[in-house]
Amino acid sequence: MELGLTEELSRQRERARELTVRLVELLAEREKVVADIARLKAELGVPEFVPEVERELRAVALKRAVDLGIDQDLIRRVLTLILKSSVRAQENPSNSNRVTHMDLMRVAKRMERNGMEVVHMEVGEPTLGAPAAVARELSDAALRGYAFYGEAAGLPELRAAIAEDLMERFGVDVRPENVVVTQGGRLGVYLAMASILSVGEEVAVIDPSWPHYKQMADYLGCRSVIHKTSLEGAWVPDPAEMERLMSDATKLLVLNYPNNPTGVVIGEKLMREFVELAERAGAYLLSDEVYMDYSFGEHETALATNSERVVMLMSFSKSWGMTGYRIGYLVAPKEIADRATRIQGSLLTCVPEFVQVAALKALTDRETPKRYREHMRRGAEIICSHLDRMGARYVSPAGGMYVFPELPVEDATEFALKLLKDRGVAVAPGSVFGNYQRHVRLSISDSLEKVEKGMRAIGEELRAWQTVTDRGNPPVIG
Ligand code: PMP
């Protein structure tokens, strides 16, 4: 009898092996078909991602999963992975060979090591720095003994102060148990995503976007679906277009206003429409509001929608120039806050408590964020007035610390490289934020004098660039 069972187990194992190999063979066959589709699409000028075609494919596959009585969630997620690799296989390989802003930064660093002065308009870091009172509080706190392991969600007094601050400023009902103090906004994005998403799910992102969202989605084995906005449309996103791109695997939407890199903000109505879209889709909405204090008008927080689907992200990096302190926070529904806390606890144990005490001090200082916002507003004015003279197209920012113009050049990355080498001004190429080959992101990190100097250099480089282009057609090679 027992021998019979052992034989049966071996037989079934053999069968599982055969089926697994067949799965691989089927995937290989599918890959060949995808290559053919890619060729045909390229000839016909059809984009690699056509949401309607994917949706139909998903529906057929899921129906089959229902007929066969197998776990639909598994099929949904496996499909995302297969579709993600199909789209990737169809992408133009030259896209991934492009010069990135990291390459530019390396060149800038090398130039500085060689004693040359570089104007930094490529990074999003206010060089104004943290207020002295905050720095003093940091060292005092360490001396007072705030230097042991602490709670993974953050110091209870800081979580309470954050909840109170949000309540006072925006009239929103936030409880300390919904607040998780994170080691910077960057980690906050990861914690939110890791708490919400499983492998094979999708994140809806609005381009141009801070690249971190897509990178984190990728690291988590997820896929980003991109709603591309345009300069012509004043970078305003459209919930209906976003909905068209989403599938039943889309579990998170990301908004970021004031926006990096465009500086635009969206009003309460549009914000509400996106929150409702997330609710309808059974997804969450991550509202990255790290530039809230750099809003030139009133800031609209997604928390005001009172939705159980909203996760809000904030950081001390921009408002108080505390980039090196590495501290931010999430405000999230209890189950997400708890999950984020567990993940952060596993990764870091806790955010250093002396840093949290310094953040507590920063919260009492409303003057510094106002001063920094004024700096950004004036910086944006300088940049825009220069852009007007250059004839560059852009949307005037309503907040944040960047302007994202389209320059009269074919390839802004090449231009950025030349600008850095010739005139020591570093800017971030638009291709970093999505498919925006003619754009650059100009940041107001440095002093206003440096911003002015940088803009003058960009104007000069542009004139030189155009003179070369006007001189005649480029030589024909081959
Ligand atoms: N969100 C956005 C949109 C950002 O641009 C940044 C920083 N560049 C962050 C979050 C994170 O900042 P930090 O990690 O310094 O808090």
Side-chain angles (χ1 to χ4, degrees):
M1 180 71 186
E2 225 173 74
L3 193 65
L5 283 182
T6 312
E7 272 170 12
E8 166 81 6
L9 176 62
S10 310
R11 250 200 322 276
Q12 293 300 10
R13 274 187 178 146
E14 182 56 31
R15 178 112 181 91
R17 213 174 68 175
E18 276 169 22
L19 287 170
T20 310
V21 171
R22 239 174 74 199
L23 252 174
V24 175
E25 287 165 359
L26 279 173
L27 281 172
E29 203 176 320
R30 192 179 188 283
E31 221 168 72
K32 283 204 196 103
V33 175
V34 168
D36 277 342
I37 292 176
R39 185 178 45 76
L40 293 168
K41 276 186 181 172
E43 273 177 37
L44 293 167
V46 176
E48 13 342 311
F49 174 46
V50 184
E52 290 75 14
V53 174
E54 265 202 22
R55 191 166 306 124
E56 213 252 334
L57 184 69
R58 275 182 181 282
V60 173
L62 277 176
K63 166 140 195 333
R64 193 80 187 113
V66 172
D67 293 346
L68 296 170
I70 90 162
D71 181 2
Q72 284 181 63
D73 187 48
L74 172 71
I75 297 303
R76 195 173 284 130
R77 298 198 281 127
V78 167
L79 278 174
T80 306
L81 296 180
I82 293 174
L83 292 168
K84 179 179 171 180
S85 94
S86 302
V87 170
R88 196 162 275 174
Q90 295 175 43
E91 272 166 7
N92 185 349
S94 68
N95 287 353
S96 55
N97 292 335
R98 298 186 58 80
V99 178
T100 69
H101 69 313
M102 299 311 281
D103 298 318
L104 274 163
M105 218 156 77
R106 262 193 298 279
V107 178
K109 288 252 154 39
R110 204 177 330 127
M111 288 170 65
E112 277 178 327
R113 270 199 305 277
N114 291 337
M116 292 164 81
E117 195 198 331
V118 173
V119 177
H120 287 281
M121 298 183 79
E122 84 283 30
V123 282
E125 179 169 46
T127 43
L128 301 158
V134 171
R136 267 196 299 274
E137 185 69 3
L138 178 94
S139 54
D140 278 1
L143 289 169
R144 294 204 304 272
Y146 283 100
F148 293 94
Y149 290 146
E151 287 182 36
L155 274 175
E157 50 271 47
L158 178 58
R159 295 167 73 201
I162 288 168
E164 204 170 307
D165 184 62
L166 292 169
M167 215 135 49
E168 259 174 36
R169 290 185 62 190
F170 303 111
V172 290
D173 184 16
V174 173
R175 307 276 156 87
E177 66 257 33
N178 299 112
V179 179
V180 183
V181 178
T182 65
Q183 196 163 66
R186 202 177 260 281
L187 186 74
V189 170
Y190 172 80
L191 294 178
M193 286 191 174
S195 303
I196 292 166
L197 299 164
S198 302
V199 170
E201 291 183 335
E202 290 178 344
V203 183
V205 176
I206 299 166
D207 264 3
S209 60
W210 185 41
H212 187 59
Y213 310 125
K214 289 182 226 165
Q215 284 162 1
M216 285 304 100
D218 222 17
Y219 286 169
L220 288 164
C222 296
R223 175 191 190 201
S224 317
V225 286
I226 313 294
H227 166 25
K228 191 169 188 276
T229 61
S230 67
L231 175 72
E232 290 72 25
W235 308 117
V236 178
D238 174 7
E241 174 60 11
M242 179 80 115
E243 190 162 21
R244 190 179 78 86
L245 300 168
M246 286 162 57
S247 78
D248 53 3
T250 313
K251 299 296 175 196
L252 182 67
L253 277 65
V254 182
L255 295 189
N256 166 223
Y257 298 102
N259 183 262
N260 172 9
T262 64
V264 302
V265 302
I266 57 168
E268 189 202 336
K269 183 171 165 285
L270 204 48
M271 176 86 77
R272 204 168 281 282
E273 284 180 39
F274 276 106
V275 171
E276 283 165 9
L277 172 57
E279 285 175 344
R280 266 203 309 285
Y284 285 90
L285 183 137
L286 174 64
S287 181
D288 179 342
E289 303 181 19
V290 305
Y291 295 100
M292 66 157 71
D293 286 316
Y294 293 172
S295 234
F296 305 153
E298 285 293 307
H299 176 67
E300 301 283 350
T301 172
L303 291 174
T305 58
N306 268 322
S307 168
E308 269 301 297
R309 295 311 223 167
V310 166
V311 177
M312 189 273 249
L313 174 80
M314 177 51 182
S315 166
F316 288 79
S317 287
K318 314 292 170 174
S319 304
W320 292 276
M322 290 166 63
T323 42
Y325 287 59
R326 310 308 307 133
I327 185 161
Y329 60 83
L330 288 171
V331 179
K334 184 78 170 51
E335 69 278 8
I336 301 299
D338 287 350
R339 247 178 266 164
T341 301
R342 276 199 297 278
I343 301 170
Q344 176 160 263
S346 308
L347 289 172
L348 313 169
T349 305
C350 67
V351 177
E353 287 200 335
F354 46 84
V355 177
Q356 296 190 60
V357 175
L360 202 49
K361 180 80 180 174
L363 275 183
T364 64
D365 168 9
R366 291 301 327 151
E367 280 316 302
T368 300
K370 281 192 195 138
R371 210 153 41 80
Y372 287 5
R373 177 186 53 208
E374 193 49 26
H375 177 87
M376 300 309 161
R377 207 181 50 71
R378 286 173 53 208
E381 271 172 18
I382 294 173
I383 292 180
C384 293
S385 73
H386 277 270
L387 289 174
D388 288 340
R389 268 173 267 156
M390 290 171 209
R393 297 196 311 151
Y394 64 94
V395 173
S396 198
M401 55 184 298
Y402 314 98
V403 189
F404 194 60
E406 182 195 76
L407 298 181
V409 298
E410 277 303 312
D411 184 338
T413 308
E414 244 179 71
F415 176 78
L417 262 177
K418 189 142 184 355
L419 175 71
L420 177 58
K421 285 184 181 153
D422 289 359
R423 298 174 206 264
V425 179
V427 301
S431 51
V432 169
F433 309 94
N435 193 11
Y436 299 93
Q437 254 58 272
R438 299 164 78 110
H439 288 257
V440 290
R441 187 191 72 175
L442 307 171
S443 97
I444 311 152
S445 298
D446 256 326
S447 68
L448 296 182
E449 292 69 37
K450 285 256 186 95
V451 169
E452 175 77 47
K453 191 173 162 195
M455 289 311 295
R456 249 184 279 124
I458 292 173
E460 284 158 17
E461 188 64 51
L462 214 46
R463 276 192 296 279
W465 185 273
Q466 281 159 345
T467 316
V468 170
T469 318
D470 291 345
R471 224 177 269 146
N473 294 327
V476 180
I477 299 168

